[in-house]
Amino acid sequence: MQAPPAQKQWSVANQMSPQLIEVKSLSKDYSRLKVLQSVSFSLKENETLGLFGISGSGKTTIGRSLMLLEKPDSGEILFRGKDLLKMNKKEISLVRPKLQMIFQHPETSLNPKMKVQDSIAEPLIIHKNLSREEIHSEMKRLMRLVGLRPEHLERYPHQLSGGEIQRAILARIISLEPKFIVADEPTSMLDASVQAQILRLMMKLQNDTEVTYLFISHDLDVLRAVCDRIAYIEAGSIKSIEMNEEKRSWAEQVRDSE
Amino acid sequence: MALLEVSHLDVGFNTQLGSVQAVNDVSFQIKKGETLGLIGESGSGKSVIGMSLLRLLPMNACVKGEAFFEGKDLLTMKEKDLQKIRGERISFIPQNPTASLNPLLKNGLQVSEVFERKGHSKENSWKSALKVMERLMIRDPGLSAKKYPHQLSGGMRQRLVAGIALSLQPELVIADEPTKGLDSLTRGKTIEFFKHLEGDEDRAMLLITHDLDLAYEICDRLAVLYAGEIVEMGPAGELMDLPSHPYTRGLIKSLPKNGLIPLEGRSPSLLELPGGCYFGERCCHHKKECSCKHPQLKNSGAWQTRCHLN
Amino acid sequence: MVKIMKSANYFGWHPGPFPQINWAPYHKILTNRTVTVCLMILGVMVMLSFLAPLITPYDPNAIDLKSSLQSPSVDHPLGTDHLGRDVLSRLLYGAKTSFLISLSVVVFALSLGIILGGAAGYFGGLADEILSRVIDIFLSFPGIIFALALIGALGSSVLNLIIALGLVHWASYARLMRGQVLSVKNNDYVSSARVIGASDRRILIKHILPNALAPVIVLATLDMGHVILSAAALSFLGLGIPPSVPEWGSMLNAGKEFMRTAPYLTIFPGLALTITVVLFSLLGDGFREILDPESEVMGLGAA
């Protein structure tokens, strides 16, 4: 990795390796307010792109559009070259599991009336035809992976701390083996020490599964710690995308913390 | 003499699950013009301390200990006497500025109301309100005063709430989590604003926060809370640069810019605190002594630490 | 369908494809004194009404003109009416009629309201536009007059009474349900369910309904009393319930002519009606208190 200007390097990279996600001139208006103005960027496999902006800059709308939770007015979202916005219902249901999201507010991220185990089992029940025992052992594996203990399974979300809920969310979506995860301020509501735990966990999962992250945050320190590139968004349009030189490799970080 | 002297403060809550000890034997002093920061993570009891000093806690709270403000105990004085102190001599800047403003009143009125209640005329009150707003770096006070709260930015709203709290020039201000949930831009402005407040020589401040940067920038002294008790207290700069308690060290190292090294585990449940050191299980210097004997706060000069290792 | 069944029974404790309700918070019901007392009194009343044949020796419709308009006595604790029928037995049998009618009306109105209101809130767009206008139209009629008109058009029978009162009440449930669904729908856990690929049906049944129902059920409880009152009012006017069936409203109607000579004919049914309505109101208030998240004991972080 070398030679800024970053913009240029990004476009070079663009030609070299096939992109996992390509967003092309995404636009959206709410009545007269322009929320997104021709937003374009792309992500390679196993990369983390940070999206930095203040509240109201449109960064959450980008994340939700990529997850098909909001419909942009115009533009394209290519996943491995195919436009998500032009897919029919059946095609969408096939790519759905590969695109996942982590939300900002742990207190509303899990259904308050469902036990943690039901929330974690839900994607398995929807997408995989597993027997009861298989679901149980898969859940055990997931719990170990994200660092939750078996007693958490029996609890309701209000009995968990914010960090534990984010772990449960990760367990829930990792079971679908996603290729791409939008993390919308996943740690902004957490304490510093818990934030470090969750960010570490996300990086470890990326190291293990080669998932790609779009990491949305208003905290530059966090983005500098975890992202390969950082995009700066202001009033609905991307001002610049820069390489993040401060990020150290996962191996280096593990060595440091030991 | 200290302006506020809190000694052996205990706060418990009676809940359906049993008694929760939220604050445990907390003692500290604030001198005139000094800013003390209470830092800690959620569940450490920092906000409960602030609320208990002004007796703002819900009915199921059980508060023990003493809190002398200029020689009078805030915790035992009559409600009527406390009302005279609340707002006038000690004021409270609450966590959520949007929820603390009346959305139907113009900004200026919300401030001038305070003076009107003190018996000033309407006109004088309005003038005083404008003066307060100007002092608090609110841009174009005349115009802002005629707007409604929702027309101000988050940072401006917070200044307005601070303005209401500071309008009667209290000797002590308790600020509860001024930067919680703010985006980086607003947070930066808030830090700048509190620096400006701190510059006022006469006013003491108790700043309750989880934001180490804010605490570092503004406070003279810091007290670090863990599971309801003070684990370390000392001068702000030294404490942040050379923390001696393993928890403080871990907390500082877990910040993204300091290497993002997580503290493993979680804070103990306040329903069943472990025997020995509360931080013992998460501590990397764990010794045998730590799990059987609860460490006492040890003094060394201006510094206090609750750890067997020092 | 198969998938949902499987998931619902997966851990063995869900009753089936219906929205599962988390009963854990309902232990609060038993710790709330108002609710416990109301439930106990109402329970006793329901029991008495169903055990009426065992309690009173008289047939509520047995006409005995020789002993008409008797004051309360040992034989007839609450006296007899102008046809010599025992007031106590009519009151007890009447309670059964009132409770059953009120329950049917509320269940009918609640189902209609939850389905239509839920659909309007969830699907939005044109469906919401149309359903909302329909709800507005139903809400704009004064209730009892609307019911009168409906019974006038449909003919006077118990079934028509239930339909008429159900149609009067469903719209308020629908409106509340729509608002509830609109607010629950925006929660992250609903977005999260959509992202993991849950079907509309699953999202509605497992994620939205269980979290939206509480206030609607409170409203329904509050309405139980109103419905008993409306049914009584309609049968007071001689509509809906045939005169032979004992019912509090028709008892009042029959008693009004003898108000001066035999006031107990109106006092006792009136009292029974008032007590029941008040009990249901208190019960509804109690439920509201229990389900209000603000009333929960202050949470303490990691605790």
Side-chain angles (χ1 to χ4, degrees):
Chain A
M1 300 278 172
Q2 29 136 300
Q7 278 281 1
K8 202 168 184 183
Q9 184 169 358
W10 163 59
S11 55
V12 172
N14 208 351
Q15 293 157 9
M16 275 161 59
S17 75
Q19 305 291 328
L20 182 75
I21 295 274
E22 271 178 275
V23 174
K24 289 184 182 165
S25 52
L26 211 58
S27 299
K28 185 175 175 70
D29 298 351
Y30 277 128
S31 56
R32 257 169 300 152
L33 187 71
K34 284 189 170 25
V35 188
L36 299 180
Q37 302 180 45
S38 190
V39 169
S40 303
F41 60 89
S42 63
L43 288 112
K44 289 197 296 274
E45 296 221 11
N46 201 17
E47 177 191 42
T48 303
L49 173 66
L51 197 54
F52 172 82
I54 59 169
S55 36
S57 58
K59 55 191 195 305
T60 295
T61 310
I62 293 180
R64 291 180 67 86
S65 304
L66 289 178
M67 289 296 114
L68 305 173
L69 291 169
E70 264 172 58
K71 219 176 140 52
D73 298 333
S74 64
E76 291 173 25
I77 302 170
L78 303 182
F79 174 69
R80 291 187 165 150
K82 280 194 191 137
D83 191 352
L84 293 176
L85 299 172
K86 292 211 179 78
M87 283 185 182
N88 62 31
K89 261 196 170 162
K90 206 176 161 205
E91 289 172 306
I92 285 179
S93 72
L94 286 177
V95 294
R96 247 312 176 209
K98 300 293 158 209
L99 312 168
Q100 290 300 316
M101 182 159 182
I102 309 171
F103 298 87
Q104 179 181 9
H105 297 278
E107 66 276 13
T108 60
S109 294
L110 287 178
N111 184 341
K113 306 259 168 173
M114 268 164 92
K115 286 190 182 175
V116 170
Q117 60 184 359
D118 294 342
S119 285
I120 295 180
E122 193 175 22
L124 297 171
I125 290 163
I126 294 174
H127 292 285
K128 304 202 171 163
N129 211 0
L130 297 180
S131 71
R132 196 181 280 216
E133 287 73 33
E134 285 170 321
I135 290 187
H136 252 300
S137 65
E138 173 69 0
M139 277 211 293
K140 261 193 207 147
R141 184 184 73 85
L142 292 168
M143 297 291 275
R144 256 201 315 277
L145 204 63
V146 300
L148 284 175
R149 292 190 300 274
E151 70 255 32
H152 291 124
L153 283 175
E154 281 287 323
R155 298 198 184 150
Y156 288 97
H158 72 267
Q159 296 165 310
L160 298 187
S161 68
E164 284 161 349
I165 290 184
Q166 295 302 51
R167 284 174 197 270
I169 298 268
L170 278 167
R172 177 174 147 100
I173 64 180
I174 284 298
S175 67
L176 295 172
E177 292 152 23
K179 295 311 278 177
F180 175 56
I181 295 178
V182 170
D184 187 2
E185 310 240 21
T187 60
S188 68
M189 292 292 159
L190 304 178
D191 285 323
S193 68
V194 183
Q195 162 169 292
Q197 291 174 1
I198 298 295
L199 292 177
R200 288 274 160 179
L201 176 62
M202 287 176 64
M203 289 161 91
K204 175 176 156 276
L205 291 174
Q206 184 172 44
N207 199 51
D208 296 348
T209 64
E210 307 207 322
V211 65
T212 302
Y213 288 123
L214 176 67
F215 200 108
I216 300 171
S217 179
H218 62 244
D219 189 336
L220 259 184
D221 287 340
V222 168
L223 292 177
R224 287 201 182 112
V226 300
C227 297
D228 300 308
R229 290 182 298 142
I230 300 174
Y232 296 84
I233 178 166
E234 214 180 292
S237 60
I238 289 186
K239 296 293 171 210
S240 67
I241 300 181
E242 287 163 17
M243 294 303 299
N244 176 28
E245 310 291 349
E246 281 177 50
K247 186 193 178 186
R248 295 161 310 148
S249 74
W250 169 246
E252 261 179 279
Q253 298 212 3
V254 170
R255 208 179 321 123
D256 278 10
S257 65
E258 271 163 5
Chain B
M1 200 188 92
L3 180 70
L4 177 75
E5 193 164 351
V6 176
S7 44
H8 308 295
L9 182 71
D10 279 321
V11 184
F13 290 92
N14 297 316
T15 68
Q16 288 168 342
L17 298 167
S19 174
V20 172
Q21 197 63 34
V23 177
N24 222 331
D25 194 19
V26 164
S27 307
F28 59 85
Q29 301 181 338
I30 302 179
K31 288 197 277 289
K32 233 178 173 168
E34 185 187 38
T35 299
L36 174 71
L38 288 182
I39 56 181
E41 300 186 289
S42 46
S44 61
K46 56 189 187 307
S47 293
V48 175
I49 293 176
M51 308 258 274
S52 68
L53 293 179
L54 289 175
R55 307 220 306 244
L56 298 171
L57 290 172
M59 293 295 283
N60 64 336
C62 165
V63 184
K64 275 181 244 154
E66 291 164 339
F68 282 98
F69 178 71
E70 295 195 321
K72 276 179 265 169
D73 188 357
L74 293 171
L75 302 179
T76 53
M77 68 170 54
K78 282 189 198 129
E79 187 66 32
K80 217 172 78 189
D81 296 330
L82 183 68
Q83 267 169 14
K84 278 186 201 144
I85 291 181
R86 233 186 279 174
E88 251 170 272
R89 315 208 38 205
I90 305 179
S91 66
F92 190 73
I93 303 180
Q95 202 177 99
N96 182 346
T98 313
S100 336
L101 291 168
N102 182 342
L104 298 178
L105 275 187
K106 283 182 183 157
N107 297 325
L109 275 178
Q110 317 225 19
V111 185
S112 69
E113 201 181 39
V114 182
F115 294 103
E116 271 177 53
R117 212 172 293 154
K118 284 277 120 215
H120 294 246
S121 73
K122 259 199 170 132
E123 256 164 72
N124 281 344
S125 299
W126 184 261
K127 270 183 212 153
S128 313
L130 290 187
K131 244 182 248 162
V132 167
M133 290 170 77
E134 196 178 340
R135 261 214 317 276
L136 294 176
M137 319 195 303
I138 291 178
R139 255 177 277 125
D140 201 351
L143 190 68
S144 304
K146 285 188 191 130
K147 286 186 180 169
Y148 288 94
H150 71 93
Q151 291 166 307
L152 296 183
S153 70
M156 284 297 149
R157 247 178 291 187
Q158 191 172 41
R159 283 169 199 205
L160 191 68
V161 173
I164 295 169
L166 299 175
S167 51
L168 295 172
Q169 312 219 325
E171 284 128 298
L172 175 67
V173 180
I174 301 174
D176 192 4
E177 294 268 25
T179 54
K180 194 171 192 176
L182 301 181
D183 70 36
S184 52
L185 189 78
T186 321
R187 176 169 163 264
K189 284 189 181 150
T190 304
I191 294 181
E192 189 186 316
F193 170 62
F194 270 83
K195 253 183 176 165
H196 168 82
L197 283 187
E198 203 265 326
D200 190 338
E201 290 290 309
D202 295 337
R203 186 166 40 234
M205 185 152 46
L206 178 64
L207 180 73
I208 297 163
T209 186
H210 70 285
D211 187 333
L212 298 181
D213 292 334
L214 174 76
Y216 184 78
E217 295 265 352
I218 289 160
C219 299
D220 301 315
R221 282 192 307 134
L222 289 180
V224 182
L225 285 154
Y226 184 77
E229 56 179 20
I230 293 180
V231 293
E232 185 165 15
M233 181 151 65
E238 291 159 58
L239 192 140
M240 294 289 254
D241 294 336
L242 280 170
S244 69
H245 195 280
Y247 172 66
T248 320
R249 260 183 267 160
L251 196 62
I252 290 171
K253 272 205 230 159
S254 70
L255 291 180
K257 59 178 175 206
N258 296 340
L260 205 67
I261 296 157
L263 265 169
E264 287 310 328
R266 60 182 278 192
S267 310
S269 159
L270 297 172
L271 280 167
E272 37 190 330
L273 287 166
C277 179
Y278 296 160
F279 186 63
E281 281 178 20
R282 303 172 74 183
C283 184
C284 49
H285 310 289
H286 187 81
K287 288 192 302 184
K288 217 184 219 168
E289 197 187 2
C290 300
S291 43
C292 46
K293 210 173 115 211
H294 188 70
Q296 294 302 311
L297 211 50
K298 274 175 281 192
N299 280 319
S300 61
W303 204 296
Q304 289 176 303
T305 316
R306 191 190 289 274
C307 184
H308 289 309
L309 299 163
N310 301 78
Chain C
M1 183 62 200
V2 174
K3 265 184 184 162
I4 286 175
M5 286 294 289
K6 195 171 151 197
S7 73
N9 293 317
Y10 168 53
F11 285 104
W13 61 74
H14 304 321
F18 299 107
Q20 91 239 40
I21 294 172
N22 164 17
W23 290 106
Y26 293 86
H27 77 267
K28 281 192 270 177
I29 287 175
L30 296 179
T31 56
N32 184 309
R33 201 181 300 156
T34 323
V35 172
T36 325
V37 171
C38 287
L39 277 178
M40 266 162 57
I41 299 177
L42 283 169
V44 169
M45 287 172 76
V46 170
M47 234 161 67
L48 285 178
S49 70
F50 278 86
L51 296 177
L54 301 177
I55 297 167
T56 72
Y58 303 101
D59 179 341
N61 292 321
I63 296 171
D64 179 6
L65 290 172
K66 267 182 286 180
S67 51
S68 66
L69 292 177
Q70 282 184 9
S71 312
S73 63
V74 182
D75 282 346
H76 299 281
L78 302 182
T80 58
D81 68 3
H82 62 293
L83 296 175
R85 297 177 293 195
D86 181 47
V87 172
L88 178 62
S89 22
R90 286 187 73 74
L91 208 59
L92 290 175
Y93 281 93
K96 192 164 125 187
T97 323
S98 290
F99 281 130
L100 284 180
I101 287 179
S102 160
L103 198 66
S104 325
V105 168
V106 169
V107 167
F108 172 51
L110 203 56
S111 327
L112 209 61
I114 287 174
I115 294 170
L116 293 179
Y122 185 71
F123 294 106
L126 190 65
D128 183 27
E129 206 57 45
I130 294 170
L131 282 167
S132 295
R133 293 296 85 74
V134 173
I135 292 169
D136 287 345
I137 291 169
F138 272 85
L139 283 174
S140 62
F141 289 119
I144 203 85
I145 295 174
F146 182 42
L148 269 176
L150 277 171
I151 294 177
L154 296 171
S156 165
S157 76
V158 175
L159 184 67
N160 288 345
L161 176 78
I162 293 171
I163 293 176
L165 285 177
L167 287 177
V168 168
H169 280 93
W170 77 273
S172 55
Y173 302 141
R175 186 173 59 172
L176 184 61
M177 187 66 194
R178 174 179 172 271
Q180 278 292 305
V181 170
L182 277 179
S183 82
V184 170
K185 192 168 85 161
N186 282 330
N187 272 314
D188 286 343
Y189 56 81
V190 175
S191 302
S192 169
R194 192 157 291 146
V195 171
I196 66 161
S199 60
D200 278 340
R201 185 197 161 97
R202 187 186 179 87
I203 291 173
L204 260 170
I205 290 178
K206 298 213 86 172
H207 297 283
I208 293 184
L209 274 190
N211 290 295
L213 275 182
V216 189
I217 288 176
V218 169
L219 184 66
T221 317
L222 283 170
D223 267 358
M224 285 287 285
H226 293 216
V227 171
I228 290 182
L229 212 55
S230 311
L234 288 173
S235 55
F236 179 85
L237 297 171
L239 292 167
I241 298 155
S244 60
V245 179
E247 204 275 343
W248 294 346
S250 51
M251 284 171 78
L252 282 172
N253 186 15
K256 73 175 191 292
E257 288 170 37
F258 310 97
M259 202 107 92
R260 277 159 205 269
T261 49
Y264 49 87
L265 287 184
T266 44
I267 286 175
F268 291 116
L271 215 55
L273 209 50
T274 313
I275 292 174
T276 316
V277 173
V278 168
L279 280 174
F280 273 114
S281 286
L282 288 174
L283 190 65
D285 279 345
F287 277 149
R288 178 158 39 201
E289 218 168 88
I290 290 170
L291 295 166
D292 181 9
E294 298 274 315
S295 72
E296 270 185 37
V297 181
M298 189 174 143
L300 278 163

